[in-house]
Amino acid sequence: MKKIKVLIVDDSSVMRKMVERSLRQAGVNISEVFEANNGMEALSLVRQNALDLVLSDINMPVMDGLEFIRQLQAVDSARGVPVVMITTEGSASPMGEALLFGARGYITKPFTPDQIKEQVFPLLEG
Amino acid sequence: MKTLTQRKGHKSLRPEAGWAPLLQNSIVDVFDIMLASRLQPADPPDPPLAADFTSMVGLAGDLCGVISFHCRASSAVSITSKMLGMEVQTFDETVRDAIGEICNVVAGNFKAKVTGIVNECMLSVPSVICGSDYKLYSIVDGERVEVAFLFEGEPIWVTLDLNN
């Protein structure tokens, strides 16, 4: 697997570190990690960097994950970049909305590295 | 005035075995998966202990109230270290962030477990209180559930205050 650039979006810095650690434990080969506190910061990073994968929380201040993924559709450089939602919101409604806006999958907190692997690997291989 | 429950035509929002088992399972799941820690069941501290860290997440919708997570400073540091996979020794923003996130994930897990009992339940972003010189009073006139565990020999406890 080639080395990838990942963007992790979560308003908790501890959770961002946990996601990064789980990705590495799952065997994802990471060359660079970008971090954003909310959707607004994430959009700015997406416009400035060529990314291979985005993992985003939903429930965040300033701009939530649903609005982020909705606006991401209009960013040319993000076309084809897989987005996976990572959230405490296990209910069907926000997940359905995220999938409609182009999310390729979702992971519910708390998660294990195996759950990350299950969601992320097929996206990186395909 | 009719309650939400009556308006929606349910007899009661309360699960048959009460809220405590669902809350206990949520906390055990979160500590097991996120921290690889097995919690020991315990009785709620009596007399009540002063927590050094309290994090709170609000519930809104069919189920209204607050879930609060309480622990001592030593537990907060240990929880943070386990979440990050590295030793943390100072009480800084990272510890507050970690304790807020624990409550957030417990609330999310609890919400997933009550799906089917309640139709809609939204979560607030977490708030964290640090320091032991405070008392937390719930002004909601409803059911209160408190569950406690030992984490590395130290008490941690979670309260669910529901609005009628």
Side-chain angles (χ1 to χ4, degrees), chain A residues 56-59 85-90 95 106-110:
Chain A
S56 177
D57 188 16
I58 288 185
N59 196 10
M85 310 309 284
I86 300 188
T87 181
T88 54
E89 296 283 341
M95 289 311 165
Y106 63 86
I107 298 164
T108 307
K109 299 175 190 173

Side-chain angles (χ1 to χ4, degrees), chain A residues 9-16 18-19 57-60 86-89 109-111, chain B residues 30-31 34-35 55-57 69 79-80 83 93-109 124-128:
Chain A
V9 192
D10 198 305
D11 55 327
S12 161
S13 65
V14 172
M15 189 50 71
R16 294 197 300 268
M18 285 191 79
V19 172
D57 188 16
I58 288 185
N59 196 10
M60 296 178 287
I86 300 188
T87 181
T88 54
E89 296 283 341
K109 299 175 190 173
F111 52 80
Chain B
V30 169
F31 273 73
M34 276 175 68
L35 281 72
S55 49
M56 296 172 291
V57 170
F69 174 86
I79 287 167
T80 309
M83 286 174 80
E93 195 185 333
T94 306
V95 178
R96 294 193 292 275
D97 184 338
I99 298 308
E101 197 57 21
I102 282 285
C103 190
N104 190 32
V105 181
V106 166
N109 195 282
S124 74
V125 292
S127 301
V128 181

